[in-house]
Amino acid sequence: SNTMQTVKEDQRPIVEARENEPHFIEFEESGDPEREVTVDEFYNHAGFGATTCMITAGAGVAVFMYGVLITYVTLLCQYLECEKELSNTEIIAVKIFTILGVICGLPLSGLLSDKIGRGKVALAGVYFVFIFWLLSAISASLLFVTIFCVGAGFSALLPSSIVYAFEFSSVYQHSRVALILFLEYILGSVFATVVFYTLNPLVGWQWVTVLLSLPLIFLFFFYHISPDTPKYYAISGRADQAYTILLKLHRRNKVPMMRGRLKASEITTRGECCGPCALIFLRATLLLSVVFLLISFSYYSTTYGVYMSLLDTGYCSSDSVFGSGTCEDANLKAILVDSLITHVPDTLGLFFALFLAEVSDRRFSLLLLATAAGVSILAATYCVSVILTLVELGLARGFSFGALVVMYLYTVERYTTNVRCLAFSYLFIFGLTGMYAAGVVTFGLRSMSEVIFIVTGACLLASLIPLFFLEKIKSKDVDSDIDEQIPLY
């Protein structure tokens, strides 16, 4: 019968252990008591309602703040160099310390997040980021230490928050989660640019730094009151807590609770749950990390290419942002304009990538986007004007950004819950390495033709690895939890 029935308020799960079988939770409801139900099936039954959307947006504030951090550090460093508060060598050191802070903390935070929970590690990251973000406003001379600690805090906050958001949705709903998260990243970058441009001349960079830290207060309360994910509870022996969260989710969406037994462990098609030291995990992670590095290198190379092209146009050489008309001000204005206009292709690339990932499998989407990025970059060498070069670089950036989005989808659907955060941590390390390599290559060579040649090669290699080494993942072909349907490699 399709008649909706109200779940009893005092209804509690019964944990049933069977010899040589995974643990299950059997609901005190009528229906087929032998039916095994995965967490993803519960999510599909509950639907992607307002509660799931709010949880995703709440966790996405961490992604928003990461966009703020990357953009603001770039703007602040250029401004401090313009004001002679820091030398060029010190500016480079601050940027490197930001990346190193994130990289150094990622492996430990990934392990802890898989062991003690996503919410706890993310909350610890919020504390760390907020304290040292405020301390960075005291003096420019402290930036080396404080920005390193802010990066270390983000190493705990960012992967945990991303996995947290994805684990509150089914495979069918992952594209919606990715849309919300990456739109928040774009908004964070634009927000930092607008706030810096409008308020820095009025109140100074110290107060701007304080103002930009305020969204972290929301994250503090969010992770204090929010439970961890049902998937994490299910594999950590707290199946009753997983059931309670799923029950509340159904109630808030006004959907009757699905009948059956909740499967509280994840088993791949090879019959075992993959551990962080297993060869299957290491092999898959190495391949995905190399692809992530190459795509990240392509994305940030096109970003720096747009910045250099803006300087070449002469548009940013006059009407300086802060009035002195120096070359440093031209650089700063180029960064400001670059931060605003380059997010247009980012947004378009995001929507195109998610559409492509839904109508085809993830591997084909990744291959097509990486190839399109390489072709767009290569076409930039034949452009006769700087404007056309900017258009081609914008297309390349959009396709590269879309490829990064598909990489996140592929990663979250490839790994089981017990190693998902650790896998994301390794991928972030390679992604940040790609960002650093892009800066070295772009500003080291200073020749757009040479940069384009290298980036085209990186895109081509990034498309070959999915073609020959990665397996297909297509959400609409999955009847239950992806972790139980597809092996890690």
Side-chain angles (χ1 to χ4, degrees):
S1 175
N2 295 325
T3 305
M4 296 179 62
Q5 298 181 7
T6 305
V7 180
K8 299 178 182 179
E9 290 293 327
D10 59 348
Q11 187 177 43
R12 305 299 299 171
I14 301 175
V15 179
E16 177 183 275
R18 295 183 178 181
E19 187 178 359
N20 300 324
E21 290 186 17
H23 290 350
F24 296 93
I25 300 175
E26 187 170 356
F27 299 147
E28 294 181 347
E29 293 182 334
S30 60
D32 183 7
E34 296 300 320
R35 184 186 178 193
E36 301 172 7
V37 184
T38 64
V39 176
D40 269 19
E41 287 181 295
F42 278 107
Y43 285 147
N44 289 330
H45 186 259
F48 195 83
T51 302
T52 308
C53 187
M54 287 188 293
I55 291 173
T56 304
V61 175
V63 184
F64 174 90
M65 288 303 300
Y66 184 69
V68 170
L69 173 71
I70 295 298
T71 304
Y72 183 61
V73 168
T74 305
L75 294 171
L76 180 61
C77 287
Q78 188 61 55
Y79 172 74
L80 293 176
E81 184 180 8
C82 176
E83 295 296 313
K84 310 300 181 185
E85 293 189 40
L86 292 176
S87 65
N88 182 58
T89 304
E90 291 173 323
I91 291 299
I92 295 175
V94 168
K95 294 179 180 179
I96 293 176
F97 270 59
T98 307
I99 298 175
L100 286 178
V102 181
I103 290 177
C104 289
L106 279 170
L108 178 61
S109 65
L111 280 171
L112 288 176
S113 186
D114 286 328
K115 293 295 183 182
I116 66 175
R118 290 79 165 97
K120 292 180 180 178
V121 175
L123 183 59
V126 172
Y127 278 108
F128 215 70
V129 171
F130 187 66
I131 291 172
F132 286 99
W133 192 302
L134 293 179
L135 290 176
S136 66
I138 296 176
S139 173
S141 60
L142 295 176
L143 277 178
F144 300 98
V145 178
T146 56
I147 207 68
F148 177 87
C149 295
V150 169
F154 267 102
S155 70
L157 174 60
L158 189 61
S160 300
S161 296
I162 292 175
V163 173
Y164 186 94
F166 275 111
E167 288 187 356
F168 262 101
S169 62
S170 72
V171 178
Y172 294 91
Q173 302 162 351
H174 281 172
S175 292
R176 303 179 194 179
V177 174
L179 177 64
I180 296 173
L181 293 180
F182 282 94
L183 281 179
E184 288 190 83
Y185 171 80
I186 294 171
L187 288 174
S189 183
V190 174
F191 175 74
T193 304
V194 172
V195 170
F196 186 86
Y197 183 82
T198 56
L199 296 183
N200 189 65
L202 301 176
V203 299
W205 69 269
Q206 290 92 344
W207 281 108
V208 172
T209 303
V210 173
L211 289 173
L212 289 176
S213 69
L214 294 181
L216 291 168
I217 299 176
F218 169 82
L219 281 175
F220 171 81
F221 288 106
F222 175 80
Y223 281 114
H224 258 295
I225 63 176
S226 300
D228 221 308
T229 69
K231 288 189 176 183
Y232 169 75
Y233 283 139
I235 68 164
S236 59
R238 288 177 281 178
D240 56 335
Q241 291 175 274
Y243 168 80
T244 302
I245 296 170
L246 291 169
L247 180 59
K248 290 180 179 179
L249 188 62
H250 279 74
R251 286 174 177 170
R252 291 178 181 178
N253 290 346
K254 298 180 180 180
V255 177
M257 190 67 175
M258 179 179 284
R259 301 180 181 89
R261 295 180 297 162
L262 174 62
K263 197 167 187 177
S265 67
E266 293 172 305
I267 301 177
T268 65
T269 53
R270 298 193 177 191
E272 58 183 357
C273 192
C274 179
C277 296
L279 180 61
I280 190 175
F281 171 82
L282 297 175
R283 188 180 184 184
T285 304
L286 178 61
L287 286 171
L288 292 175
S289 296
V290 171
V291 177
F292 203 73
L293 185 151
L294 294 171
I295 296 175
S296 178
F297 174 79
S298 169
Y299 174 73
Y300 286 103
S301 294
T302 55
T303 302
Y304 301 144
V306 171
Y307 164 73
M308 293 171 62
S309 299
L310 284 171
L311 288 177
D312 293 340
T313 61
Y315 170 75
C316 298
S317 61
S318 60
D319 299 327
S320 70
V321 179
F322 297 107
S324 62
T326 62
C327 178
E328 288 82 6
D329 287 327
N331 290 337
L332 182 58
K333 187 171 183 180
I335 294 174
L336 288 166
V337 175
D338 175 44
S339 299
L340 291 174
I341 67 172
T342 53
H343 287 305
V344 175
D346 283 357
T347 306
L348 297 176
L350 170 63
F351 281 97
F352 178 71
L354 293 178
F355 169 77
L356 196 62
E358 285 301 298
V359 299
S360 63
D361 63 85
R362 315 295 199 214
R363 186 189 67 166
F364 176 76
S365 303
L366 184 59
L367 187 155
L368 182 62
L369 290 165
T371 303
V375 171
S376 299
I377 294 172
L378 188 61
T381 58
Y382 299 98
C383 296
V384 295
S385 68
V386 177
I387 300 300
L388 290 177
T389 302
L390 283 172
V391 172
E392 291 296 338
L393 289 176
L395 286 174
R397 174 175 167 130
F399 288 130
S400 299
F401 188 78
L404 288 174
V405 173
V406 176
M407 276 295 299
Y408 278 83
L409 291 174
Y410 194 98
T411 303
V412 77
E413 294 168 5
R414 172 57 68 195
Y415 292 93
T416 50
T417 304
N418 66 310
V419 292
R420 190 169 284 136
C421 280
L422 182 61
F424 264 102
S425 298
Y426 287 137
L427 260 65
F428 275 121
I429 291 175
F430 279 80
L432 291 170
T433 304
M435 179 172 66
Y436 178 74
V440 171
V441 170
T442 306
F443 295 107
L445 295 177
R446 297 294 298 182
S447 171
M448 283 302 298
S449 59
E450 295 178 352
V451 173
I452 287 172
F453 176 78
I454 295 174
V455 176
T456 303
C459 291
L460 178 62
L461 184 57
S463 63
L464 291 177
I465 293 177
L467 179 62
F468 293 106
F469 296 104
L470 300 183
E471 296 180 351
K472 293 182 180 181
I473 291 182
K474 189 172 182 180
S475 62
K476 63 185 181 182
D477 288 341
V478 180
D479 295 325
S480 60
D481 198 334
I482 194 97
D483 296 327
E484 300 176 278
Q485 298 297 323
I486 299 179
L488 287 173
Y489 177 71

